């Protein structure tokens, strides 16, 4: 417990002992522990003494879902350093898009564009040439992302390559999943060997979606239009025939967009045959696309090329032909047709990753059922542990409502009226900031008129997550919600940014109403996913893994926004009688299962009044 900087709460000493024993044995661990449990400092405290006594490179690799989350483990490492009065060097590692000073100077944004700029301009980049690590850079303790950025900028060095060199001195590095799950990992591995390191995967329930996104790709009709414009603009480089096959491809896609189906499958060889695209055309597109990127970089423009992206997409599509777990899907969104190569093989892809490390620690507040997580994530040898929520049952009240359900494609007027009754009771009787989490934007839009009326009548202020909301707007809205002095009503979909990523300590959120079970729509994509998993795991288990568990994890994430400690009060309303099904209710958070009362939506006002807190 030397490296644990706080007074231990219930379960933390057990977690530290479990992680230490497993790491000494080289075993993987899957930890389900709720938000506010203190997983980060406990796991760091368990791993640091093991890796500090080993004098070779490597240590703790802390993988997080997004770059914005990389600072958190390093902030805890700083607290530990102050606690033990030691300098344990660690670094919050970010990608080129966040770190490239040349891109910032030129106004170039986006991962692909900045990566291309670096590849094309590195040798002549003034910041790269000046980059050099000095001993004093690691003597002042762990570095957050902004620390490295400011340090490098103050000396006109490249922040990205400075942090790469700093990795050689680190015992802890925090980075995004991409550096572990994709070939990008080689840039870290060369300086921070995976073989001797423990990998900690935070919010590990996101792994399957993360790896699928990395190995999938999509283009649109607009991608092809831009590719044609590039051929016209850089015609001096373009061999004959390229523009013609691209124009035929565009005509075919425009014809496909006239179909009535929202989603359908396509076959890449049919697409190439009908458009006249051959493998030599794809190679030509790649070469020409590279020339376009170089030309644009030389002009100080973003070195992007739609032609290059189109060629990469076709190459990927051809390389996956005949592979079980690959789907080729077209989707219509507004006025565009999208073509996607969708890789569903999460367990197969992930199983190739974990063996690179000494051992792996997977943790989340919604990892249960651990057997399902481990199997879907390709973890062959796993010690599983579920830690209970610290919530005080005397401070929690939960209701599962009968007479309500969002089942079906459309909410009829009677169903909308019923939800309006329950939501009004919730807003009038739960004092403090609350959230209404809906199963989808469609349901949210159907209910908004009544939510607005109820909010106005109860003197509330509404904060609504909109589809396509930009990051800065969302951050400002969240800040204003937290400052609303107990009058705020956050309305957001369970699959949105606020139902999982947002943090609401103390009284910033005291209640949550979940409207409907957030099952994925039964689209072609959903059906293909279920069918693939049923082939792998069997009919019943495949449906459970691919359809039921993901929905309940999302619902649990939303409910978990309210409770962070035993001091927190919380009111929970689950507005769908399907939550009572045995296979669903057992997947709810333990603090809901312990306190749930089953009441009719008509009786919710009396139920809330009788349990007034």
């Amino acid at each position: 417990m030397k490296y644990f900087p706080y007074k231990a709460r219930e379960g933390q000493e057990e977690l530290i002992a479990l992680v230490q024993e497993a790491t000494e044995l080289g075993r993987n661990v899957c930890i389900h522990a709720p938000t506010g449990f203190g997983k980060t400092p406990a796991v760091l405290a368990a791993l640091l003494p093991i890796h500090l006594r080993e004098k070779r490179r490597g240590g703790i690799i802390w993988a997080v879902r997004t770059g914005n989350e990389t600072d958190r483990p390093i902030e805890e490492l700083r607290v530990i350093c102050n606690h033990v009065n030691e300098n344990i060097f660690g670094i919050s590692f970010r990608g080129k898009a966040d770190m490239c000073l040349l891109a910032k100077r030129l106004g170039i944004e986006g991962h692909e564009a900045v990566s291309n700029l670096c590849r094309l301009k590195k040798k002549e980049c003034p910041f790269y040439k000046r980059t050099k690590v000095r001993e004093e850079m690691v003597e002042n303790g762990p570095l957050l992302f902004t620390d490295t950025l400011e340090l490098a900028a103050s000396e006109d060095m490249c922040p990205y390559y400075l942090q790469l060199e700093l990795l050689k001195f680190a015992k802890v590095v925090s980075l995004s999943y991409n550096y572990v799950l994709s070939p990008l990992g080689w840039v870290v591995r060369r300086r921070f060997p995976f073989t001797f390191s423990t990998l900690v995967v935070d919010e590990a329930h996101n792994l399957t979606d993360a790896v699928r996104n990395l190995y999938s790709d999509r283009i649109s009709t607009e991608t092809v239009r831009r590719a044609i414009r590039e051929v016209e603009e850089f015609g001096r480089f373009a061999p004959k025939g390229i523009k013609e096959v691209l124009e035929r491809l565009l005509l075919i896609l425009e014809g496909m967009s006239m179909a009535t189906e929202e989603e359908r499958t396509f076959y890449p060889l049919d697409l190439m045959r009908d458009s006249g695209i051959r493998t030599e055309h794809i190679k030509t597109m790649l070469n020409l696309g590279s020339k376009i990127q170089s030309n644009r970089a030389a002009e100080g423009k973003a070195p992007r090329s739609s032609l290059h992206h189109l060629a990469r997409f076709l190459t990927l599509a051809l390389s996956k032909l005949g592979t079980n777990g690959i789907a080729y899907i077209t989707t219509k969104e507004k006025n565009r047709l999208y073509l996607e190569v969708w890789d569903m093989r999460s367990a197969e892809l992930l199983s190739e990753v974990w063996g690179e490390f000494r051992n792996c620690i997977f943790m989340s507040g919604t990892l249960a059922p651990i057997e399902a997580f481990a199997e879907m994530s390709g973890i062959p040898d796993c010690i599983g542990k579920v830690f209970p929520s610290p919530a005080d049952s005397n401070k929690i009240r939960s209701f599962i409502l009968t007479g309500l359900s969002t089942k079906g494609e459309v909410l009829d007027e009677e169903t909308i009226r019923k939800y309006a009754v329950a939501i009004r009771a919730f807003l009038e009787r739960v004092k403090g900031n609350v959230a209404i989490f809906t199963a989808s934007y469609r349901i949210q839009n159907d209910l908004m008129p009544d939510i607005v009326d109820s909010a106005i009548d109860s003197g509330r202020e509404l904060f609504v997550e909109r589809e396509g909301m930009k990051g800065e707007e969302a951050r400002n809205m969240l800040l204003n919600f937290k400052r609303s002095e107990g009058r705020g009503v956050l309305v957001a979909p369970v699959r949105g940014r606020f139902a999982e990523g947002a943090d609401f300590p103390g009284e910033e959120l005291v209640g949550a109403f979940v409207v409907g079970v957030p099952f994925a729509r039964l689209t072609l994509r959903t059906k293909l996913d279920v069918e693939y998993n049923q082939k792998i795991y069997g009919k019943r288990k495949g449906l459970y893994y691919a359809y039921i568990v993901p929905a309940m994890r999302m619902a649990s994430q939303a409910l978990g926004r309210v409770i962070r400690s035993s001091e927190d009060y919380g009111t929970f309303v689950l507005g769908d009688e399907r939550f009572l099904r045995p296979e669903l209710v057992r997947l709810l958070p333990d603090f809901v299962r312990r306190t749930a009362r089953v009441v009719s939506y008509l009786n919710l006002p009396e139920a809330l009044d009788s349990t007034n807190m």
Side-chain angles (χ1 to χ4, degrees):
M1 295 290 289
K2 173 185 175 181
Y3 291 97
F4 190 71
Y6 309 109
K7 181 181 179 181
R9 298 198 293 266
E10 184 178 353
Q12 287 180 321
E13 291 187 16
E14 183 182 356
L15 173 57
I16 291 170
L18 172 65
V19 170
Q20 284 183 331
E21 181 180 358
T23 302
E24 296 284 11
L25 296 172
R27 298 280 306 278
N28 299 322
V29 184
C30 294
I31 302 161
H32 171 101
T35 302
F37 182 88
K39 297 184 288 292
T40 300
V43 172
L44 279 172
L47 295 175
L48 281 170
I50 295 172
H51 288 285
L52 285 173
R53 70 171 179 249
E54 297 176 355
K55 303 305 179 183
R56 56 195 176 191
R57 282 189 190 176
I60 304 166
I61 298 177
W62 202 285
V64 295
R65 186 167 56 106
T66 67
N68 293 332
E69 299 167 308
T70 56
D71 278 352
R72 178 77 183 105
I74 304 305
E75 289 170 343
E76 286 289 1
L77 181 62
R78 281 184 166 175
V79 175
I80 291 172
C81 288
N82 290 333
H83 175 69
V84 297
N85 196 28
E86 293 180 22
N87 177 19
I88 307 166
F89 187 65
I91 188 167
S92 170
F93 190 92
R94 300 286 279 268
K96 291 177 181 176
D98 294 320
M99 303 296 268
C100 180
L101 295 180
L102 182 60
K104 294 180 189 300
R105 176 184 288 181
L106 296 172
I108 294 173
E109 299 178 346
H111 167 72
E112 183 178 2
V114 176
S115 294
N116 288 336
L117 177 70
C118 181
R119 173 174 54 83
L120 295 166
K121 290 287 189 178
K122 185 170 75 172
K123 290 182 180 179
E124 58 191 84
C125 175
F127 302 109
Y128 175 74
K129 290 178 179 179
R130 297 191 188 98
T131 303
K132 186 177 181 180
V133 172
R134 298 189 307 275
E135 283 188 16
E136 61 265 27
M137 291 179 176
V138 301
E139 291 176 350
N140 295 322
L143 295 177
L144 303 179
F145 146 66
T146 50
D147 298 326
T148 306
L149 189 61
E150 291 169 4
L151 174 63
S154 69
E155 302 192 28
D156 287 333
M157 295 182 183
C158 171
Y160 178 78
Y161 282 97
L162 177 61
Q163 68 177 358
L164 276 178
E165 294 306 307
L166 288 169
L167 282 177
K168 299 174 183 177
F169 303 91
K171 272 296 172 185
V172 181
V173 57
S174 178
L175 37 67
S176 76
Y177 290 171
N178 291 9
Y179 290 97
V180 173
L181 304 182
S182 79
L184 274 175
W186 73 269
V187 301
V188 174
R189 190 188 295 109
R190 285 173 55 191
R191 299 163 176 86
F192 199 100
F194 288 3
T195 305
F196 308 124
S197 299
T198 295
L199 172 68
V200 181
V201 184
D202 211 345
E203 299 298 335
H205 63 276
N206 291 301
L207 274 173
T208 53
D209 286 341
V211 76
R212 287 178 172 192
N213 291 337
L214 277 171
Y215 286 88
S216 302
D217 194 12
R218 76 173 190 166
I219 60 167
S220 70
T221 46
E222 188 58 30
T223 308
V224 181
R225 288 192 184 95
R226 288 195 299 263
I228 292 170
R229 289 197 292 269
E230 288 178 3
V231 172
E232 292 171 344
E233 181 182 356
F234 296 90
R236 63 190 182 279
F237 299 126
K240 291 183 179 180
I242 291 294
K243 182 181 177 183
E244 287 74 13
V245 297
L246 291 178
E247 288 174 336
R248 284 200 294 271
L249 175 62
L250 181 59
L251 283 173
I252 293 168
L253 298 184
E254 288 175 339
M256 292 168 66
S257 69
M258 301 297 290
T260 57
E261 301 99 324
E262 186 176 312
E263 289 184 332
R264 58 190 292 193
T265 58
F266 72 95
Y267 189 53
L269 289 181
D270 288 346
L271 207 60
M272 291 179 62
R273 182 198 63 224
D274 294 344
S275 62
I277 295 176
R278 299 190 297 273
T279 53
E280 54 264 35
H281 289 131
I282 297 174
K283 292 177 183 177
T284 300
M285 284 188 256
L286 283 171
N287 292 333
L288 179 53
S290 296
K291 290 179 181 178
I292 292 169
Q293 290 170 347
S294 298
N295 189 285
R296 287 178 170 167
E299 295 175 352
K301 300 177 181 177
R304 298 187 182 92
S305 169
S306 293
L307 187 65
H308 197 272
H309 182 194
L310 173 59
R312 294 199 319 270
F313 176 84
L314 293 172
T315 301
L316 177 67
L318 292 176
S319 71
K320 302 292 186 183
L321 283 172
T323 303
N324 186 31
I326 302 296
Y328 300 94
I329 301 175
T330 68
T331 308
K332 290 193 295 184
E333 295 179 15
K334 297 180 180 178
N335 295 323
R336 293 183 185 177
L337 180 78
Y338 287 86
L339 273 67
E340 182 175 2
V341 179
W342 186 38
D343 198 329
M344 299 177 282
R345 304 171 298 155
S346 58
E348 182 178 337
L349 294 170
L350 290 169
S351 65
E352 298 174 1
V353 174
W354 314 135
E356 296 188 53
F357 298 90
R358 171 180 179 154
N359 71 312
C360 304
I361 313 296
F362 305 92
M363 61 187 199
S364 167
T366 53
L367 216 57
I370 287 177
E371 178 188 353
F373 165 76
E375 204 162 4
M376 288 285 284
S377 302
I379 306 169
D381 178 30
C382 162
I383 302 170
K385 178 65 180 178
V386 175
F387 289 90
S389 167
D392 183 345
S393 295
N394 295 318
K395 298 176 181 177
I396 304 295
R397 54 181 180 171
S398 307
F399 306 93
I400 301 177
L401 303 185
T402 59
L404 289 180
S405 178
T406 61
K407 185 178 181 180
E409 289 297 314
V410 179
L411 297 186
D412 57 36
E413 290 185 7
E414 178 64 14
T415 300
I416 291 173
R417 185 194 64 77
K418 291 179 178 179
Y419 273 110
V421 170
I423 290 171
R424 178 174 289 271
F426 177 73
L427 294 184
E428 289 178 348
R429 287 166 170 78
V430 181
K431 306 304 179 185
N433 282 357
V434 296
I436 300 172
F437 292 119
T438 61
S440 68
Y441 277 115
R442 175 183 60 82
I443 292 170
Q444 179 172 307
N445 293 336
D446 286 345
L447 297 178
M448 274 311 301
D450 290 297
I451 293 174
V452 170
D453 288 345
S454 295
I456 292 172
D457 292 345
S458 56
R460 298 281 201 158
E461 185 177 358
L462 275 178
F463 300 85
V464 182
E465 180 178 355
R466 295 179 292 98
E467 200 164 2
M469 179 179 275
K470 301 295 183 183
E472 187 62 29
E473 182 185 359
R475 283 189 290 273
N476 289 334
M477 190 187 83
L478 185 61
L479 185 61
N480 290 330
F481 169 75
K482 292 182 174 187
R483 293 173 174 171
S484 61
E485 298 180 346
R487 297 184 301 107
V489 179
L490 175 66
V491 184
V494 169
R495 298 172 183 271
R497 69 178 76 212
F498 297 126
E500 177 175 349
D503 191 21
F504 301 95
E507 297 183 359
E508 290 183 352
L509 188 67
V510 300
F513 189 124
V514 177
V515 180
V517 182
F519 288 124
R521 286 180 59 209
L522 287 175
T523 60
L524 172 64
R525 179 185 302 268
T526 303
K527 293 173 183 175
L528 290 172
D529 191 17
V530 171
E531 288 172 3
Y532 169 70
N533 281 281
Q534 287 179 328
K535 287 180 183 177
I536 303 298
Y537 304 112
K539 193 169 184 178
R540 291 185 64 182
K541 189 185 283 189
L543 178 66
Y544 183 67
Y545 283 5
Y547 190 66
I548 294 174
V549 170
M552 293 306 295
R553 279 208 176 110
M554 290 178 185
S556 297
Q557 282 286 338
L559 294 166
R561 298 307 91 199
V562 178
I563 298 296
R564 292 185 58 86
S565 74
S566 60
E567 303 302 315
D568 290 338
Y569 287 80
T571 299
F572 302 94
V573 179
L574 282 73
D576 197 310
E577 58 192 11
R578 289 177 294 173
F579 280 114
L580 290 169
R581 294 179 182 175
E583 69 273 21
L584 270 60
V585 74
R586 65 171 172 257
L587 296 177
L588 288 170
D590 59 358
F591 56 84
V592 172
R593 295 198 310 272
R594 291 197 305 263
T595 60
R597 290 176 55 193
V598 180
V599 300
S600 165
Y601 78 95
L602 289 171
N603 296 330
L604 182 61
E606 292 80 5
L608 287 168
D609 288 340
S610 67
T611 57
N612 194 31
M613 289 194 302

